[in-house]
Amino acid sequence: MIRWFNILRGFLMGIVELIPGISSGTLALLLGIYDELLISIQKLFSKDFKKAAGFVFPLIIGMAIAILSMSSVINYFLVNHTIIVHWFFLGLVFGVVPMMFKLGNYKYEFKAVHYILIVITIVGMYFLSTVNTGVQDVTEVDTSPGVLLFLFISGFLGATALVLPGLSGSVILLILGAYPVVIYSISEFTSFNFEVLPVLFATGFGIVFGVIFASKFIHYLLTHFTYLTYAFIIGLLLGSSFPIYHGMPTNTVQWILSVLLFLSGLILSYYVSTKNNKETI
């Protein structure tokens, strides 16, 4: 059975992946589909392929539609309303955190080691956010074998991050220096420049293999190291505030809009995440 509503969910996840600092894994948590997504990706290579494909492929379609149709719109808001937009997303991320503590049964299961892991992860995210995150201007692409291999590896690592809530695949691509090339190639492809197809294929295949690997690994961690994994994810979510944060508002109008959007994102995220998620991921 095809889950057609997942096209909309995938569309929202695709929009989120266009924004450096925001993770589609966070949105999957918010929508209450994170665990089912991990399991379905693994079942794509089993006898339950048809059922898993009915869940995963509509998500992929929705993400593809969002990436191809919304990249220019997202870029406009990021360039012209940077601070306001990012305060909204800060609210979305922080709103998921209480639900994660609840799922982790922190009152009974969290010990000192769990809180230490949260702090270490937050510190790691801070240093990650300071590394090579400047976007370079790209006006052409190189399709030599070495560059395509680099883009495959970048896609693999970015997709591994994509599956983890709080860790943005876009940030990983920024750090590796692949993000400007990928965004430029997407933009050129939508303008019917098919010379960028090798770049998109190389990155796309890397993303596919990365998602498959990461989903298996994270599901293993959740199964065998459940509460440590919850603590790690909480640290990722809190630490993702560093790459998302783009400064304080600079005038009265920005302050009002930023506060309102932050609170809107916080309330929306908290409400949706607690409504959609059950007691276990």
Side-chain angles (χ1 to χ4, degrees):
M1 179 179 177
I2 299 178
R3 304 274 287 276
W4 293 110
F5 190 71
N6 277 0
I7 292 179
L8 176 59
R9 293 183 174 123
F11 186 83
L12 296 174
M13 292 169 67
I15 290 175
V16 161
E17 273 305 316
L18 287 170
I19 303 170
I22 313 293
S23 167
S24 59
T26 303
L27 195 61
L29 269 178
L30 193 154
L31 295 171
I33 63 171
Y34 186 70
D35 185 53
E36 190 173 2
L37 176 60
L38 293 182
I39 295 172
S40 295
I41 291 172
Q42 297 175 67
K43 287 184 177 180
L44 287 174
F45 305 93
S46 71
K47 61 181 180 180
D48 296 320
F49 167 80
K50 186 176 292 187
K51 181 179 179 181
F55 181 86
V56 174
F57 288 163
L59 286 174
I60 295 174
I61 292 171
M63 292 183 73
I65 293 172
I67 290 170
L68 292 174
S69 65
M70 298 298 291
S71 57
S72 297
V73 176
I74 294 299
N75 185 64
Y76 169 80
F77 280 102
L78 289 177
V79 171
N80 296 284
H81 305 284
T82 306
I83 294 175
I84 296 172
V85 169
H86 283 88
W87 273 98
F88 173 71
F89 283 107
L90 279 172
L92 283 181
V93 170
F94 287 143
V96 181
V97 174
M99 181 270 297
M100 285 306 303
F101 272 105
K102 182 179 179 181
L103 291 177
N105 199 16
Y106 73 100
K107 289 183 179 179
Y108 304 101
E109 299 294 342
F110 275 25
K111 306 295 188 292
V113 64
H114 297 89
Y115 292 105
I116 291 172
L117 178 59
I118 291 174
V119 172
I120 290 174
T121 306
I122 292 173
V123 172
M125 287 291 288
Y126 168 75
F127 284 108
L128 192 63
S129 70
T130 64
V131 180
N132 189 30
T133 54
V135 179
Q136 301 173 347
D137 186 31
V138 174
T139 57
E140 60 181 358
V141 295
D142 182 358
T143 57
S144 63
V147 171
L148 295 180
L149 176 61
F150 163 73
L151 290 170
F152 174 85
I153 295 172
S154 298
F156 181 91
L157 296 175
T160 303
L162 181 152
V163 179
L164 277 170
L167 188 57
S168 169
S170 298
V171 167
I172 298 300
L173 292 180
L174 271 173
I175 291 170
L176 294 172
Y179 182 82
V181 177
V182 174
I183 291 298
Y184 170 80
S185 298
I186 292 172
S187 176
E188 287 295 298
F189 180 73
T190 58
S191 301
F192 303 103
N193 178 6
F194 300 115
E195 293 181 0
V196 299
L197 277 176
V199 170
L200 297 179
F201 277 126
T203 309
F205 280 119
I207 290 172
V208 170
F209 284 105
V211 166
I212 294 169
F213 169 80
S215 63
K216 290 180 178 293
F217 182 61
I218 296 167
H219 190 263
Y220 174 84
L221 292 178
L222 282 168
T223 303
H224 295 86
F225 306 96
T226 305
Y227 299 108
L228 283 172
T229 306
Y230 282 128
F232 179 58
I233 292 175
I234 291 169
L236 287 176
L237 288 170
L238 292 172
S240 68
S241 60
F242 295 117
I244 296 173
Y245 176 74
H246 276 63
M248 301 296 289
T250 57
N251 56 59
T252 303
V253 174
Q254 269 196 0
W255 268 106
I256 293 173
L257 291 175
S258 296
V259 170
L260 288 176
L261 286 173
F262 174 79
L263 292 175
S264 299
L266 189 71
I267 294 169
L268 175 65
S269 179
Y270 178 79
Y271 173 76
V272 174
S273 65
T274 52
K275 180 180 179 181
N276 286 337
N277 285 276
K278 299 178 181 179
E279 287 302 313
T280 56
I281 282 188

